[in-house]
Amino acid sequence: MIAVQSIHPSSYYQPSIFEQEQRNVFEKNWIFAGFKDQVINNNDYITVQIGTTPVVIQNFKGEINALLNICSHRKAKLKTASHGNSPLVCPYHCWSYKKNGDLAGIPQNKTDFGLDEQAKKSLALRRFELAICGNLMFVRIIKQQESLEAFLGPYFALLQHVSTEFTDPVQEGNYLWQTNWKIACETVLEVYHVAGIHPETFAKFAKAECDIEHFNGHSTGHTPLQDTPKQWWKKARKLLKLTQNETYTEYNHFFIYPNLAIGLTNGSLMSLQTYEPLAPCQSRLNFHLRMMRRTDGTHSSDVIKAAVQLNFTQFNHTILEEDRVVAESCQSNMPLTDTPGLLGKCEDRIKHFHTAWRQDMTHITEGK
Ligand code: FES
Ligand SMILES: [Fe+2]
């Protein structure tokens, strides 16, 4: 037999497994947290949830740090928005924090709290490891030996290149899927389903063949584009004065374990997605669409972008909806069966994903 077994159906819905993977998969690995250019100015911040840990990533006069997004006073969220620009001050009673998480100020400290320097120090926010690859920021909640460079292996240079080429933001958003986060990831790790699920969309866009490479749980799928989208993008590039990435000119898809996916179309458009676990049977798919740099170094005008966007963002939406429906169908059937599914050779990227997941899940859980 060439095929291999998928992970057990219960892995997709059992609360105990979900809890364990929050820690072993999400808190112990480097997780993509956002683009560096989202926090380019002093006091710019973004917020993200990694495993069970809410994190704020903020620019403090040029230094970017990742800190626990929970106030030490009475546990309010320090930043409630997904992004913004303001100093790190709690909205509840205005305790303020320094770049390393230490307390900067406590209103009425002398008269009402009496906290000396040592007591203040013990109330510092937890600070997390943050590493940068090109324009991408990764955060790790539980300290480990492995550097981001070692974790990504050959994908470090690749992401560095890609993330600094596709810099023009077009659209971002999210979808709520009633599926486990792993099922959501699996929808983008093979093109075997294209004939069945996307006959009118993806099938007309790319050929259902895939050249696979991998490094640990990370993998690549190179899929040749059909002629029509190539012609469309050629015209769009001319209209938008876009450069074309010379290395990746087909549909080139990269998966960075455990939950980051990057799809490149004809060296012109990057679709970056993360699959965020919300509950055992619920995940949020966050997406960012970015185009290649313009030939003159500026960003395209909003009017021109909007016209072109209409075409490809709708296309993106339709494909995602087709995937969501079938993913939710698989999810709803997982508790009704005890037999693991099968993965064919064409689904090898899922096999690599599962191997890394199995390895993480068998690690002994140590103290936080
Ligand atoms: S909860 Fe943050 S200052 Fe009170
Ligand atoms: Fe799909």
Side-chain angles (χ1 to χ4, degrees):
M1 188 164 85
I2 301 167
V4 297
Q5 277 198 340
S6 182
I7 51 178
H8 192 269
S10 62
S11 317
Y12 294 100
Y13 62 85
Q14 260 187 11
S16 60
I17 292 193
F18 182 79
E19 274 167 37
Q20 197 191 337
E21 67 189 6
Q22 291 284 297
R23 181 185 169 75
N24 284 22
V25 176
F26 284 90
E27 300 202 337
K28 286 188 175 179
N29 279 308
W30 287 108
I31 302 295
F32 170 72
F35 293 95
K36 191 177 149 199
D37 63 21
Q38 291 178 294
V39 289
I40 213 74
N41 301 309
N42 184 35
N43 285 333
D44 277 353
Y45 70 86
I46 57 167
T47 57
V48 63
Q49 171 100 7
I50 300 178
T52 56
T53 309
V55 179
V56 52
I57 298 171
Q58 177 140 350
N59 181 320
F60 298 88
K61 293 190 179 142
E63 188 177 319
I64 301 168
N65 287 334
L67 301 165
L68 183 68
N69 191 17
I70 301 177
C71 180
S72 303
H73 176 221
R74 278 168 48 205
K75 315 301 172 188
K77 265 219 163 123
L78 290 166
K79 301 288 185 200
T80 49
S82 64
H83 63 279
N85 180 285
S86 60
L88 196 55
V89 180
C90 179
Y92 202 178
H93 312 95
C94 305
W95 283 28
S96 57
Y97 296 88
K98 297 181 193 169
K99 64 180 180 184
N100 62 354
D102 280 354
L103 271 163
I106 302 175
Q108 299 160 226
N109 183 27
K110 267 201 186 128
T111 54
D112 292 32
F113 289 87
L115 300 175
D116 59 16
E117 284 314 306
Q118 203 191 338
K120 277 200 210 158
K121 198 93 191 149
S122 69
L123 291 168
L125 301 173
R126 271 183 73 199
R127 185 175 165 187
F128 308 109
E129 294 176 283
L130 182 143
I132 290 171
C133 172
N135 191 27
L136 310 179
M137 301 190 291
F138 290 80
V139 169
R140 189 168 56 193
I141 301 300
I142 301 174
K143 226 176 163 44
Q144 310 285 310
Q145 288 294 317
E146 197 178 37
S147 67
L148 178 66
E149 213 158 341
F151 173 72
L152 292 173
Y155 286 88
F156 189 90
L158 190 153
L159 292 185
Q160 208 167 26
H161 167 72
V162 164
S163 68
T164 47
E165 289 267 286
F166 295 80
T167 48
D168 195 356
V170 177
Q171 198 194 21
E172 56 181 60
N174 59 69
Y175 292 93
L176 212 57
W177 282 23
Q178 301 309 322
T179 75
N180 183 271
W181 67 278
K182 298 188 291 301
I183 287 198
C185 287
E186 289 162 16
T187 62
V188 292
L189 290 178
E190 43 91 358
V191 290
Y192 186 41
H193 72 286
V194 168
I197 298 300
H198 308 298
E200 296 303 319
T201 51
F202 197 92
K204 297 196 168 147
F205 166 79
K207 302 175 184 157
E209 329 162 355
C210 190
D211 187 9
I212 296 172
E213 292 161 14
H214 86 107
F215 172 76
N216 298 335
H218 318 312
S219 63
T220 304
H222 298 292
T223 302
L225 282 172
Q226 303 282 13
D227 282 341
T228 316
K230 278 190 177 172
Q231 294 308 324
W232 189 86
W233 273 107
K234 198 174 172 183
K235 277 189 213 140
R237 275 196 301 275
K238 208 170 161 196
L239 186 69
L240 297 172
K241 298 195 182 72
L242 295 185
T243 53
Q244 184 185 27
N245 183 282
E246 285 169 10
T247 319
Y248 304 108
T249 53
E250 300 294 326
Y251 181 68
N252 308 92
H253 188 269
F254 311 101
F255 179 71
I256 302 300
Y257 178 81
N259 72 332
L260 169 66
I262 297 177
L264 305 180
T265 302
N266 201 213
S268 306
L269 177 75
M270 170 171 83
S271 167
L272 181 147
Q273 298 172 353
T274 58
Y275 305 87
E276 198 183 333
L278 299 182
C281 304
Q282 192 181 59
S283 51
R284 183 165 41 219
L285 194 157
N286 304 297
F287 71 90
H288 296 262
L289 291 173
R290 289 186 164 212
M291 288 189 304
M292 272 294 281
R293 287 176 285 104
R294 275 170 52 105
T295 39
D296 59 5
T298 63
H299 285 184
S300 307
S301 86
D302 289 347
V303 182
I304 295 184
K305 264 193 207 172
V308 179
Q309 262 174 36
L310 204 66
N311 188 319
F312 66 71
T313 55
Q314 260 175 16
F315 181 73
N316 196 44
H317 172 80
T318 310
I319 290 185
L320 281 173
E321 279 301 286
E322 289 168 347
D323 283 327
R324 181 186 60 78
V325 170
V326 71
E328 289 182 354
S329 150
C330 298
Q331 180 70 44
S332 64
N333 289 327
M334 289 298 177
L336 311 180
T337 168
D338 233 5
T339 329
L342 278 183
L343 300 170
K345 196 170 162 41
C346 51
E347 295 161 302
D348 261 1
R349 295 179 75 195
I350 300 179
K351 180 179 85 180
H352 302 310
F353 171 49
H354 287 178
T355 304
W357 182 85
R358 281 191 184 102
Q359 247 167 31
D360 280 348
M361 292 296 278
T362 50
H363 278 173
I364 300 151
T365 306
E366 306 134 25
K368 213 171 188 174

PDB file of all heavy atoms in Angstrom, residues 62-75:
ATOM      1  N   GLY A  62      11.247  52.134  18.412  1.00  0.00           N
ATOM      2  CA  GLY A  62      12.086  51.358  17.490  1.00  0.00           C
ATOM      3  C   GLY A  62      12.355  49.937  17.956  1.00  0.00           C
ATOM      4  O   GLY A  62      12.751  49.095  17.165  1.00  0.00           O
ATOM      5  N   GLU A  63      12.144  49.664  19.241  1.00  0.00           N
ATOM      6  CA  GLU A  63      12.361  48.296  19.722  1.00  0.00           C
ATOM      7  C   GLU A  63      11.011  47.574  19.757  1.00  0.00           C
ATOM      8  O   GLU A  63      10.058  48.069  20.357  1.00  0.00           O
ATOM      9  CB  GLU A  63      12.971  48.364  21.136  1.00  0.00           C
ATOM     10  CG  GLU A  63      13.404  47.019  21.653  1.00  0.00           C
ATOM     11  CD  GLU A  63      14.085  47.113  23.027  1.00  0.00           C
ATOM     12  OE1 GLU A  63      14.886  48.054  23.256  1.00  0.00           O
ATOM     13  OE2 GLU A  63      13.794  46.250  23.869  1.00  0.00           O
ATOM     14  N   ILE A  64      10.958  46.421  19.104  1.00  0.00           N
ATOM     15  CA  ILE A  64       9.683  45.694  19.051  1.00  0.00           C
ATOM     16  C   ILE A  64       9.716  44.548  20.062  1.00  0.00           C
ATOM     17  O   ILE A  64      10.595  43.688  20.000  1.00  0.00           O
ATOM     18  CB  ILE A  64       9.418  45.152  17.625  1.00  0.00           C
ATOM     19  CG1 ILE A  64       9.388  46.310  16.615  1.00  0.00           C
ATOM     20  CG2 ILE A  64       8.102  44.395  17.576  1.00  0.00           C
ATOM     21  CD1 ILE A  64       9.422  45.868  15.170  1.00  0.00           C
ATOM     22  N   ASN A  65       8.754  44.576  20.999  1.00  0.00           N
ATOM     23  CA  ASN A  65       8.706  43.528  22.014  1.00  0.00           C
ATOM     24  C   ASN A  65       7.339  42.867  22.076  1.00  0.00           C
ATOM     25  O   ASN A  65       6.323  43.488  21.757  1.00  0.00           O
ATOM     26  CB  ASN A  65       9.035  44.115  23.392  1.00  0.00           C
ATOM     27  CG  ASN A  65      10.513  44.438  23.515  1.00  0.00           C
ATOM     28  OD1 ASN A  65      11.344  43.832  22.837  1.00  0.00           O
ATOM     29  ND2 ASN A  65      10.837  45.402  24.357  1.00  0.00           N
ATOM     30  N   ALA A  66       7.349  41.599  22.494  1.00  0.00           N
ATOM     31  CA  ALA A  66       6.099  40.845  22.667  1.00  0.00           C
ATOM     32  C   ALA A  66       5.869  40.652  24.161  1.00  0.00           C
ATOM     33  O   ALA A  66       6.715  40.088  24.862  1.00  0.00           O
ATOM     34  CB  ALA A  66       6.216  39.495  21.970  1.00  0.00           C
ATOM     35  N   LEU A  67       4.737  41.137  24.663  1.00  0.00           N
ATOM     36  CA  LEU A  67       4.438  41.091  26.098  1.00  0.00           C
ATOM     37  C   LEU A  67       3.054  40.496  26.335  1.00  0.00           C
ATOM     38  O   LEU A  67       2.193  40.522  25.434  1.00  0.00           O
ATOM     39  CB  LEU A  67       4.477  42.510  26.678  1.00  0.00           C
ATOM     40  CG  LEU A  67       5.800  43.275  26.535  1.00  0.00           C
ATOM     41  CD1 LEU A  67       5.588  44.761  26.801  1.00  0.00           C
ATOM     42  CD2 LEU A  67       6.863  42.712  27.473  1.00  0.00           C
ATOM     43  N   LEU A  68       2.847  40.008  27.552  1.00  0.00           N
ATOM     44  CA  LEU A  68       1.527  39.473  27.907  1.00  0.00           C
ATOM     45  C   LEU A  68       0.503  40.600  27.861  1.00  0.00           C
ATOM     46  O   LEU A  68       0.715  41.670  28.444  1.00  0.00           O
ATOM     47  CB  LEU A  68       1.581  38.870  29.317  1.00  0.00           C
ATOM     48  CG  LEU A  68       0.285  38.201  29.787  1.00  0.00           C
ATOM     49  CD1 LEU A  68      -0.004  36.938  28.982  1.00  0.00           C
ATOM     50  CD2 LEU A  68       0.366  37.860  31.276  1.00  0.00           C
ATOM     51  N   ASN A  69      -0.626  40.348  27.188  1.00  0.00           N
ATOM     52  CA  ASN A  69      -1.636  41.393  27.030  1.00  0.00           C
ATOM     53  C   ASN A  69      -2.661  41.342  28.176  1.00  0.00           C
ATOM     54  O   ASN A  69      -3.868  41.425  27.943  1.00  0.00           O
ATOM     55  CB  ASN A  69      -2.312  41.227  25.658  1.00  0.00           C
ATOM     56  CG  ASN A  69      -3.185  42.410  25.292  1.00  0.00           C
ATOM     57  OD1 ASN A  69      -3.070  43.489  25.875  1.00  0.00           O
ATOM     58  ND2 ASN A  69      -4.085  42.208  24.338  1.00  0.00           N
ATOM     59  N   ILE A  70      -2.175  41.176  29.395  1.00  0.00           N
ATOM     60  CA  ILE A  70      -3.065  41.155  30.568  1.00  0.00           C
ATOM     61  C   ILE A  70      -2.446  42.048  31.639  1.00  0.00           C
ATOM     62  O   ILE A  70      -1.302  41.839  32.051  1.00  0.00           O
ATOM     63  CB  ILE A  70      -3.233  39.729  31.146  1.00  0.00           C
ATOM     64  CG1 ILE A  70      -3.804  38.774  30.098  1.00  0.00           C
ATOM     65  CG2 ILE A  70      -4.116  39.749  32.396  1.00  0.00           C
ATOM     66  CD1 ILE A  70      -3.938  37.332  30.582  1.00  0.00           C
ATOM     67  N   CYS A  71      -3.199  43.013  32.110  1.00  0.00           N
ATOM     68  CA  CYS A  71      -2.698  43.931  33.129  1.00  0.00           C
ATOM     69  C   CYS A  71      -2.479  43.200  34.457  1.00  0.00           C
ATOM     70  O   CYS A  71      -3.287  42.364  34.863  1.00  0.00           O
ATOM     71  CB  CYS A  71      -3.698  45.075  33.319  1.00  0.00           C
ATOM     72  SG  CYS A  71      -3.161  46.267  34.546  1.00  0.00           S
ATOM     73  N   SER A  72      -1.371  43.526  35.119  1.00  0.00           N
ATOM     74  CA  SER A  72      -1.041  42.847  36.377  1.00  0.00           C
ATOM     75  C   SER A  72      -1.948  43.307  37.523  1.00  0.00           C
ATOM     76  O   SER A  72      -2.039  42.628  38.540  1.00  0.00           O
ATOM     77  CB  SER A  72       0.414  43.129  36.766  1.00  0.00           C
ATOM     78  OG  SER A  72       1.263  42.723  35.735  1.00  0.00           O
ATOM     79  N   HIS A  73      -2.596  44.437  37.408  1.00  0.00           N
ATOM     80  CA  HIS A  73      -3.428  44.966  38.486  1.00  0.00           C
ATOM     81  C   HIS A  73      -4.653  44.088  38.714  1.00  0.00           C
ATOM     82  O   HIS A  73      -4.681  43.278  39.616  1.00  0.00           O
ATOM     83  CB  HIS A  73      -3.830  46.428  38.192  1.00  0.00           C
ATOM     84  CG  HIS A  73      -4.760  47.005  39.218  1.00  0.00           C
ATOM     85  ND1 HIS A  73      -5.819  47.806  38.878  1.00  0.00           N
ATOM     86  CD2 HIS A  73      -4.799  46.890  40.569  1.00  0.00           C
ATOM     87  CE1 HIS A  73      -6.463  48.174  39.973  1.00  0.00           C
ATOM     88  NE2 HIS A  73      -5.850  47.628  41.018  1.00  0.00           N
ATOM     89  N   ARG A  74      -5.668  44.212  37.860  1.00  0.00           N
ATOM     90  CA  ARG A  74      -6.848  43.360  38.021  1.00  0.00           C
ATOM     91  C   ARG A  74      -7.252  42.675  36.728  1.00  0.00           C
ATOM     92  O   ARG A  74      -8.404  42.376  36.499  1.00  0.00           O
ATOM     93  CB  ARG A  74      -7.990  44.153  38.660  1.00  0.00           C
ATOM     94  CG  ARG A  74      -7.815  44.218  40.194  1.00  0.00           C
ATOM     95  CD  ARG A  74      -8.734  45.208  40.865  1.00  0.00           C
ATOM     96  NE  ARG A  74     -10.109  45.076  40.435  1.00  0.00           N
ATOM     97  CZ  ARG A  74     -11.012  46.079  40.477  1.00  0.00           C
ATOM     98  NH1 ARG A  74     -10.654  47.268  40.955  1.00  0.00           N
ATOM     99  NH2 ARG A  74     -12.239  45.902  40.072  1.00  0.00           N
ATOM    100  N   LYS A  75      -6.230  42.452  35.892  1.00  0.00           N
ATOM    101  CA  LYS A  75      -6.336  41.532  34.749  1.00  0.00           C
ATOM    102  C   LYS A  75      -7.162  42.019  33.563  1.00  0.00           C
ATOM    103  O   LYS A  75      -7.682  41.205  32.785  1.00  0.00           O
ATOM    104  CB  LYS A  75      -6.860  40.143  35.202  1.00  0.00           C
ATOM    105  CG  LYS A  75      -6.219  39.591  36.466  1.00  0.00           C
ATOM    106  CD  LYS A  75      -4.732  39.447  36.322  1.00  0.00           C
ATOM    107  CE  LYS A  75      -4.054  39.091  37.619  1.00  0.00           C
ATOM    108  NZ  LYS A  75      -2.593  39.121  37.533  1.00  0.00           N
TER     109      LYS A  75
END
